[in-house]
Amino acid sequence: MLFRSGAVGAGVAALALVTRAALYAACVEQGAALPAAWLAAVLARVALPFELWLARPATPGRGLFATLGVEVGAAAAIGATICGGFVSAPAVILVPDLVPALAPGLALVVVVTALWHALWRTKVGGSTGDVCGAAIELRELGLLFVFGVATGK
């Protein structure tokens, strides 16, 4: 989750849960809940290899993020993107109304990821596994919003 301790963490967790439920409900009303949820989950995670490859760890040489960051390179990031395209195809085929939302959705993924990592680079000097996990959650919520708007008539 975004914060780990106290009332702030509980409040953020509750807000994220309520937001996710509302976004799913918007997609259900449009008849696109399962494809939109699938597509948002896949696309929110496709950026993870790029994060591991490009982001600087907050604690170099320590932690899983720092270890994986050394192992993941451009080939893995590009391969994950290609796999994500194949895995996303069924959702787009089932709900063609999602196609116009792909470009703004992917732009949102890039912007959210860049801003999120820039914020934590200034706060703690780099990224951690928790920062990447929170970025996935933010991207997924943003994508659900974009898909809910795109499928609304």
Side-chain angles (χ1 to χ4, degrees):
M1 242 331 100
L2 301 176
F3 296 96
R4 287 188 180 186
S5 62
V8 173
V12 170
L15 181 61
L17 183 61
V18 169
T19 303
R20 185 180 306 271
L23 293 170
Y24 281 139
C27 292
V28 166
E29 288 178 11
Q30 307 307 324
L34 187 57
W38 175 260
L39 197 56
V42 170
L43 295 179
R45 286 157 179 82
V46 163
L48 187 56
F50 284 99
E51 290 174 278
L52 292 171
W53 173 41
L54 297 173
R56 184 179 65 212
T59 55
R62 293 189 358 216
L64 186 58
F65 180 82
T67 304
L68 289 175
V70 172
E71 300 294 325
V72 175
I78 292 167
T81 303
I82 292 168
C83 288
F86 283 118
V87 173
S88 300
V92 175
I93 292 168
L94 287 172
V95 183
D97 289 346
L98 291 173
V99 173
L102 287 176
L106 292 174
L108 178 81
V109 164
V110 170
V111 169
V112 164
T113 302
L115 292 176
W116 187 248
H117 282 280
L119 169 73
W120 287 102
R121 195 170 23 259
T122 62
K123 296 253 183 224
V124 296
S127 296
T128 65
D130 289 344
V131 169
C132 287
I136 290 171
E137 294 297 319
L138 290 171
R139 289 190 299 258
E140 192 168 344
L141 289 173
L143 286 164
L144 284 171
F145 174 78
V146 170
F147 297 153
V149 169
T151 56
K153 301 291 183 206

